[in-house]
Amino acid sequence: MYLKMCHTYPITFMIFQRIQTHCKIILPILSSSSTLLMRTILFPKMLVLQSTTKNGIPFFTVVVHKDGPRGIHFRRAGPRQRVYFESDEVHACIVTCGGLCPGLNTVIREIVCGLYHMYGANKVLGIDGGYRGFYSKNTITLTPKVVNDIHKRGGTVLGTSRGGHDTSKIVDSIQDRGINQVYIIGGDGTQKGAAAIYEEIKRRGLKVAIAGIPKTIDNDIPIIDKSFGFDTAYEEAQRAINAAHVEAESAENGIGLVKLMGRDSGFIAMYATLASRDVDCCLIPESPFYLEGKGGLFEFIEKQLKENGHMVIVIAEGAGQDLISESLQSNDQQDASGNKLLKDVGLWISQRIKDHFAKENKTSITLKYIDPTYMIRAIPGNASDNVYCTLLAQSAVHGAMAGYTGFTVGLVNTRHTYIPFNRITEKQNKVVITDRMWARLLSSTNQPSFTNPKVATEVDKEQKPTAQFWDGDN
Ligand SMILES: Nc1ncnc2c1ncn2[C@@H]1O[C@H](COP(=O)(O)OP(=O)(O)OP(=O)(O)O)[C@@H](O)[C@H]1O
Ligand SMILES: O=P(O)(O)OC[C@H]1O[C@](O)(CO)[C@@H](O)[C@@H]1O
Ligand SMILES: [Mg+2]
């Protein structure tokens, strides 16, 4: 079965590989209680055509046969009849890289339990502390007992890090330890690292499956519907927004300002704003804005205070960096992974707003700045993220056991799929400000767009949506 992502793109069939074309025909070893259930999943009809209508318009025909209409097709995730690895030859490892994200422990737990319970494998190692852990740290033995209740905890029991990706040393370590399945959990940077490991494994001719599981609260990974942890993060952000609203409402000309994570992509700020309904203005990196003059932020704040007596602003950490650079010395510092270190836009904009209103004794305001920073990501996944993490982990295990390699698992148009690394790493997912979601946010907050049509057209040229949908669909 194949999953059709976009019917207008040229056909590009799966380019990731199976380790060996003549796979052994071995059914997964299943516990007796799950056998029946697994059989029904194992042998679905080969062709599932779904044609649903919405207002008379067909809006989803996402699961199609490989000879179906033109489009990008990804192989559908799930258990396979042919399994490449014998249970006792599996030697798997799991690594978590990049920033923390709710649900990391759930994915670790479900990979371990999936390998043990669905396939009878019993050699799973945890790599300590991200990519560098392959060559500079000890490993942790993972069993269902060890991981039993880790999903209730935030963070990652394996530890994580930025930087330290030395492809050659990592693959040496994989080779030396006799590892034949590598599960790599991380964001856009991590997936690039996974792609490099996959290339090196291929170059050395090793029979090792490399599977990526996309994580990030930023939701900046392309192709997939969303990354795990994102829902939990913007849900947790509601607490900060609520506090900002209460503070702002209780003061004369009160302004509550909340800074949320989101380096290059403003999804957390956008969804937290849409979820809250208390936010009057949301500022994200993708949408340029200005402070002074007609149509600027200060004018909008003045209007809101006059009309409502208070207001709430949500700003993504990557927003307005160009404005800060104009007034402060430019900053080219990077973290260990090469990500640009940002200036604190929250503190900067708070000061600018205060200065503006203090100038000529305009209006006396009370501004409260709330920066929940790591609080939105250092928590366990919520119920919906935990389900998502479980399904992603199971997909990864089924894919590796079937002998696929060089893929990331992900939900595409609501279907679980295997996506070749090169598709995931070619760009970053960003809010498209000429698309429907941003327009919906603008209608919800009633804030100005802060951009003239010319700028919007130029931004649009750089920000092409990652998928296309039937009109009226998304
Ligand atoms: N282009 C690349 N090639 C190889 N490795 C990379 C590349 N970019 C990043 N990495 C490695 O991937 C790991 C994680 O990268 P990074 O710190 O950017 O986090 P991330 O995976 O993008 O997650 P998040 O952004 O959600 O925190 C690091 O160890 C880094 O060295
Ligand atoms: O852990 P660090 O390096 O402070 O990372 C902060 C960054 O990590 C993220 O949470 C995920 O990439 C970003 O939103 C944020 O900019
Ligand atoms: Mg990243």
Side-chain angles (χ1 to χ4, degrees):
M1 284 184 297
Y2 290 77
L3 187 132
K4 184 191 172 203
M5 184 195 154
C6 163
H7 71 295
T8 55
Y9 288 168
I11 294 175
T12 317
F13 285 114
M14 300 261 315
I15 55 162
F16 66 86
Q17 313 177 330
R18 267 192 156 173
I19 292 172
Q20 206 170 279
T21 44
H22 52 283
C23 297
K24 297 164 195 170
I25 306 178
I26 311 165
L27 287 178
I29 295 164
L30 305 166
S31 65
S32 52
S33 59
S34 62
T35 306
L36 192 63
L37 172 69
M38 289 302 298
R39 283 246 165 87
T40 57
I41 305 166
L42 271 168
F43 304 112
K45 284 184 195 156
M46 285 311 289
L47 173 65
V48 183
L49 270 170
Q50 296 211 343
S51 170
T52 318
T53 57
K54 190 174 171 185
N55 303 329
I57 304 162
F59 78 105
F60 262 135
T61 308
V62 292
V63 186
V64 297
H65 195 266
K66 69 181 166 65
D67 302 321
R70 295 165 72 81
I72 295 177
H73 296 76
F74 299 126
R75 202 169 281 264
R76 189 136 180 206
R80 294 298 192 266
Q81 186 175 359
R82 287 158 183 262
V83 175
Y84 176 73
F85 293 96
E86 302 267 11
S87 313
D88 57 4
E89 67 182 2
V90 172
H91 190 181
C93 75
I94 307 173
V95 64
T96 51
C97 312
L100 289 186
C101 177
L104 279 167
N105 282 331
T106 312
V107 176
I108 297 167
R109 183 189 189 280
E110 295 311 317
I111 293 173
V112 175
C113 293
L115 283 167
Y116 269 75
H117 298 146
M118 294 196 293
Y119 291 96
N122 59 11
K123 258 165 105 182
V124 189
L125 284 181
I127 304 297
D128 190 359
Y131 278 132
R132 61 165 61 92
F134 272 104
Y135 54 88
S136 67
K137 291 203 173 168
N138 289 328
T139 52
I140 305 155
T141 303
L142 298 174
T143 63
K145 203 168 166 197
V146 169
V147 298
N148 186 38
D149 57 7
I150 61 170
H151 60 295
K152 295 174 189 159
R153 284 182 248 158
T156 157
V157 290
L158 300 180
T160 185
S161 62
R162 298 196 189 274
H165 185 280
D166 184 322
T167 314
S168 181
K169 281 194 199 169
I170 292 169
V171 177
D172 286 350
S173 157
I174 291 170
Q175 204 170 356
D176 293 348
R177 293 173 199 269
I179 289 168
N180 51 24
Q181 291 186 8
V182 184
Y183 296 93
I184 302 176
I185 313 170
D188 58 334
T190 305
Q191 301 303 318
K192 287 180 193 149
I197 294 171
Y198 161 67
E199 289 301 334
E200 181 60 14
I201 294 271
K202 204 163 67 171
R203 198 186 64 76
R204 296 192 194 181
L206 307 175
K207 305 280 185 235
V208 179
I210 309 291
I213 298 104
K215 82 75 246 193
T216 176
I217 60 165
D218 291 356
N219 198 31
D220 58 0
I221 300 178
I223 308 285
I224 57 176
D225 295 354
K226 65 176 177 187
S227 49
F228 78 78
F230 168 62
D231 278 359
T232 308
Y234 78 79
E235 185 177 308
E236 186 65 13
Q238 300 303 303
R239 283 150 52 93
I241 296 174
N242 285 343
H245 185 232
V246 170
E247 289 286 346
E249 229 183 3
S250 311
E252 197 186 340
N253 291 321
I255 300 175
L257 180 79
V258 179
K259 185 181 80 170
L260 294 174
M261 283 189 168
R263 219 183 246 138
D264 304 302
S265 306
F267 288 102
I268 301 174
M270 178 167 82
Y271 275 77
T273 295
L274 276 165
S276 152
R277 327 298 301 186
D278 287 333
V279 180
D280 303 288
C281 183
C282 173
L283 303 167
I284 59 169
E286 295 88 337
S287 180
F289 66 94
Y290 55 96
L291 303 177
E292 318 256 4
K294 195 157 171 44
L297 181 66
F298 292 154
E299 187 189 76
F300 181 60
I301 297 176
E302 279 170 21
K303 179 175 155 281
Q304 282 302 114
L305 293 183
K306 209 165 161 189
E307 286 173 8
N308 296 334
H310 70 277
M311 83 177 289
V312 176
I313 303 171
V314 163
I315 187 160
E317 64 180 336
Q321 291 294 315
D322 51 333
L323 299 177
I324 312 180
S325 305
E326 277 169 19
S327 57
L328 300 172
Q329 237 183 4
S330 81
N331 166 17
D332 292 325
Q333 285 179 313
Q334 297 181 335
D335 68 14
S337 294
N339 299 305
K340 195 174 172 213
L341 288 176
L342 301 175
K343 300 229 176 69
D344 190 334
V345 70
L347 281 177
W348 175 82
I349 207 162
S350 300
Q351 198 53 52
R352 291 298 308 267
I353 294 171
K354 285 179 190 164
D355 291 348
H356 173 77
F357 284 96
K359 212 167 38 182
E360 300 153 22
N361 281 338
K362 260 191 167 166
T363 315
S364 155
I365 60 157
T366 305
L367 188 147
K368 303 288 189 222
Y369 171 43
I370 299 178
D371 180 359
T373 60
Y374 300 101
M375 289 172 71
I376 66 166
R377 67 175 209 190
I379 50 174
N382 65 12
S384 118
D385 264 327
N386 271 337
V387 172
Y388 189 27
C389 290
T390 303
L391 303 189
L392 290 172
Q394 288 184 357
S395 295
V397 168
H398 291 312
M401 286 302 298
Y404 291 126
T405 183
F407 67 91
T408 296
V409 289
L411 203 59
V412 181
N413 290 352
T414 73
R415 298 294 194 277
H416 283 270
T417 60
Y418 297 132
I419 307 160
F421 279 146
N422 67 323
R423 289 256 168 227
I424 283 286
T425 54
E426 67 191 357
K427 59 178 172 182
Q428 217 176 14
N429 193 25
K430 295 201 180 210
V431 174
V432 179
I433 61 165
T434 50
D435 210 1
R436 289 180 181 78
M437 266 330 255
W438 188 244
R440 286 168 183 149
L441 178 131
L442 295 180
S443 342
S444 152
T445 57
N446 212 15
Q447 72 190 65
S449 71
F450 299 117
T451 43
N452 60 43
K454 191 169 164 277
V455 175
T457 315
E458 272 154 23
V459 172
D460 188 35
K461 278 182 201 152
E462 293 160 24
Q463 302 179 349
K464 281 284 161 228
T466 53
Q468 292 175 6
F469 298 86
W470 292 97
D471 258 2
D473 175 24
N474 62 337

